[in-house]
Amino acid sequence: MRSLLWGRGVSALGDGLWFTIWALYFTRIAGLPPITVGAGLAVASAAGMAAAVPLGALADRAGARPVLVVLTLVRGAAMAAYLAVGGTWSFVAVTIPFTALATGGTAVRTALITGLVTDSAERVRVLAQQRVAQHVGYAAGAGLGALVLTADARWAYTLAIVVNAASFLVLAAATLRVPAPAARPAERPPARAVLGDRPYLAVVAATAVLSLCWAMLSAGLPLWLSGWTRLPLGLGGVVVVLSSVGIALFQVPFARFARTTAQAARTAVVSGVVLAASCVLLATTAGGAGAGAVTIVVLAALLHIVGELGYVAAGWGLSVRLMREDAKGAYQGVTEAATATVQMVAPGVFTLAVGGLGAPGWLLVAAVFLAAAAPVPALTRWAVRTREPARRATHVTPAARNTSGGATL
C-alpha cells in the first residue's frame, strides 16, 4: 500500500499541474478554438463513461494490476502526445484515450486495492489514505502550475507536459511493485452481473448525486460570488484551499463512519443533510458584503467539507461492501460511471440553478441533495437482503458439517 500511496501522490502532482494549465495550453499554445476543446472533452468524457464497466470487467478477467499498468502507460503516452497536437483531429485522437481511460482506471485501481486488502473496514481506510495522497499531490501540482502560468511561455508548458507524462511512468512502476491479488473465478460474466444487480445500481445512482458537492466549489460558488453578492471573488479560492486542507486532515478519520453498510447509509443521509444546509447558508448571503457575509460563506464551506467527507466515506463503504468479490472491477466501473455522469452535468446544473436563479437556485440544489440521500438506507437494506442468502451459504463452518455430507447453518 505504501508503494501505491507514493505512486498516487506523484501522479496526482502531475494531474494538479496539468489541470491548472490545460485550458491555456490548448487555446494559446496549441491554437485550438475553445469550442473544439469543449466538444472534444465532452466526447472523451462520454467515452469514459461507456468504457468504465468493460474495463472493470477486463480487470476481473485479466487481473487488476496488469490492466491498471497498461491503462496508466497509455494515458502517459497520450499526455506526451499532446506536444504534437496541432489541429482538431489530432486533439480528439489524443484526448479520447487520455480522458476516457481515467474513469475506468479509477475503477481498476479500487479493484486492485480491494483485492489486496480483504477486511472491509481496512479497505475504506486505505482508499481514504489514497485520496489524501491525491489531494496533497494536487495541491503541490497546482502550485507548480501557477509558476507555469506566470512564465506563460511555450517552454514552460512543454516542461509541464513532460513532467506529467513522467508521473504516469512513476505510477506504473509503483503499481508493478505490488503483488497481484489472487484471482477468483466469476460465476457469471462480470459486466452482466453488475448490470443485472438492480439493488446495487439503485444505491450507486442515489449516492452519485451527492457528488454534485464537487461542482459546488468549482462552478456554483464562483458564479454566486460574482453575480449575486458583493463579496471578493478571491473568497472562492480561500474556500477551495480550506476544503483541500480539510480533506487531507480528516478523510482517513471519516472512514470510521462507514464501517458497516448500515452505518455508511446513515452517513450518506447525514452528508445530504449537511450539504443541503450549506446551500441554504449560501442562499442567505444574496447581495451580502462585509465580514458578516464572509463569515456565513466560511461556515457554509465548513459544512461542505463535512458533507463531502461523509459522502466519499459512505460511497466507498457502500460500493465496496455491496459488490461481488468475483466482479470487483465491473462493480467499481459502474460506480465510477455513475459519478462521471453526474460530474458531466454538474456544471450545467449550477450554471442554470445558481447562476440563473440566484438564492432560489441554492434552495433547489439543497432539495436535490435531500432527495438523493433520503432513500439510501432503504435501498441499502434491499441490497443487503439480496446478498444474505449467498453469504450465509459461503460461511459454513467445519463444525456445522455432519457425517452424511450435509451442512447446517
Side-chain angles (χ1 to χ4, degrees), residues 22-380:
W22 67 263
L24 290 183
Y25 175 76
F26 288 140
T27 55
R28 291 170 61 87
I29 305 301
L32 297 171
I35 190 171
T36 298
V37 175
L41 291 174
V43 171
S45 297
M49 288 184 289
V53 175
L55 288 174
L58 176 63
D60 292 325
R61 293 184 176 278
R65 187 182 67 170
V67 171
L68 182 58
V69 170
V70 170
L71 294 179
T72 302
L73 291 176
V74 171
R75 294 194 70 219
M79 172 52 58
Y82 272 133
L83 293 173
V85 165
T88 299
W89 294 113
S90 60
F91 169 73
V92 172
V94 173
T95 298
I96 287 179
F98 178 74
T99 302
L101 298 183
T103 301
T106 301
V108 175
R109 182 181 300 108
T110 303
L112 174 61
I113 292 172
T114 54
L116 295 170
V117 181
T118 57
D119 179 73
S120 296
E122 183 67 9
R123 283 173 168 176
V124 176
R125 191 182 71 84
V126 171
L127 289 170
Q129 291 175 334
Q130 293 280 322
R131 188 168 193 244
V132 170
Q134 175 184 340
H135 274 266
V136 172
Y138 278 161
L144 294 177
L147 296 178
V148 173
L149 295 178
T150 300
D152 196 25
R154 178 178 288 274
W155 67 265
Y157 290 102
T158 299
L159 180 60
I161 290 175
V162 171
V163 169
N164 192 16
S167 74
F168 284 100
L169 296 179
V170 173
L171 179 58
T175 304
L176 283 172
R177 293 188 62 187
V178 305
R184 292 189 58 172
E187 298 176 2
R188 297 172 58 192
R192 186 184 303 174
V194 66
L195 295 177
D197 193 341
R198 290 183 298 169
Y200 186 89
L201 296 177
V203 171
V204 165
T207 54
V209 175
L210 298 179
S211 70
L212 283 172
C213 65
W214 294 331
M216 275 183 67
L217 300 188
S218 63
L221 186 59
L223 289 171
W224 178 249
L225 293 175
S226 62
W228 298 91
T229 76
R230 292 173 290 164
L231 295 170
L233 297 181
L235 183 58
V238 173
V239 168
V240 170
V241 172
L242 186 64
S243 176
S244 297
V245 172
I247 290 168
L249 291 176
F250 298 111
Q251 189 65 77
V252 174
F254 259 71
R256 72 184 63 178
F257 299 118
R259 289 175 174 168
T260 66
T261 52
Q263 190 179 39
R266 290 193 297 269
T267 299
V269 173
V270 173
S271 171
V273 172
V274 172
L275 289 171
S278 177
C279 292
V280 173
L281 276 181
L282 289 173
T284 65
T285 63
V294 170
T295 301
I296 294 175
V297 171
V298 172
L299 289 175
L302 294 175
L303 287 178
H304 179 277
I305 293 171
V306 174
E308 180 179 349
L309 291 169
Y311 152 66
V312 171
W316 284 330
L318 293 171
S319 69
V320 168
R321 286 183 173 83
L322 294 176
M323 70 182 182
R324 281 179 44 173
E325 290 295 320
D326 60 352
K328 299 182 185 71
Y331 271 73
Q332 293 305 314
V334 161
T335 301
E336 294 300 326
T339 304
T341 301
V342 174
Q343 290 305 296
M344 190 169 68
V345 303
V349 169
F350 282 98
T351 299
L352 294 174
V354 176
L357 301 177
W362 280 122
L363 300 181
L364 178 62
V365 175
V368 171
F369 280 132
L370 294 176
V376 172
L379 294 174
T380 300

